[in-house]
Amino acid sequence: MPVIRADKQEQALFPTWSEINHYGINHLKAGQEVPLHYHACNEYWIIVSGRGICTTEGDTYELGPGDLVLTEQGQEHSLLVTEEMTAVYIYGVLPPGGKIGYLYRTKEEQQ
């Protein structure tokens, strides 16, 4: 079983059987916003501490410690932090040619 270090997440380090290809820990301040975006893979958030309001797949939720947010590949989501928050995020399987990170729809795609 390999160990992946947060600061050295090269794709080649993740075994071919892994359903995870990237992860991180976010420390967010009250009032901070994560803008509406999507990913080329499924994304999962685990709220460790704090509170916020999340929009995902067109629905809005209040989040708190222990909550798990599941967002399907290609679905837009955002976050407004209402109480200082620590959250773990995990990216699922990245399709061939997929890109890690935030992706944004063009104005034409939004219409």
Side-chain angles (χ1 to χ4, degrees), residues 37-42 71-76 105:
H37 66 282
Y38 68 98
H39 299 281
C41 58
N42 298 333
T71 301
E72 186 178 11
Q73 171 186 343
Q75 294 291 325
E76 292 182 304
R105 305 242 187 265

Side-chain angles (χ1 to χ4, degrees), residues 42-109:
N42 298 333
E43 183 183 36
Y44 309 90
W45 299 347
I46 301 168
I47 309 306
V48 177
S49 63
R51 299 198 172 280
I53 300 169
C54 162
T55 299
T56 183
E57 301 183 17
D59 294 316
T60 300
Y61 304 90
E62 291 187 23
L63 303 177
D67 288 347
L68 171 65
V69 180
L70 301 92
T71 301
E72 186 178 11
Q73 171 186 343
Q75 294 291 325
E76 292 182 304
H77 53 286
S78 63
L79 174 66
L80 171 61
V81 180
T82 57
E83 179 184 297
E84 189 170 337
M85 178 184 286
T86 298
V88 175
Y89 67 90
I90 300 166
Y91 287 2
V93 176
L94 193 66
K99 179 180 167 186
I100 290 179
Y102 290 12
L103 302 173
Y104 301 96
R105 305 242 187 265
T106 65
K107 288 184 181 181
E108 293 79 28
E109 290 176 315

Side-chain angles (χ1 to χ4, degrees), residues 2-21:
V3 172
I4 308 294
R5 306 286 181 203
D7 61 345
K8 296 184 180 182
Q9 293 190 52
E10 300 168 26
Q11 285 299 130
L13 297 176
F14 287 86
T16 57
W17 53 261
S18 178
E19 297 170 357
I20 296 171
N21 71 63

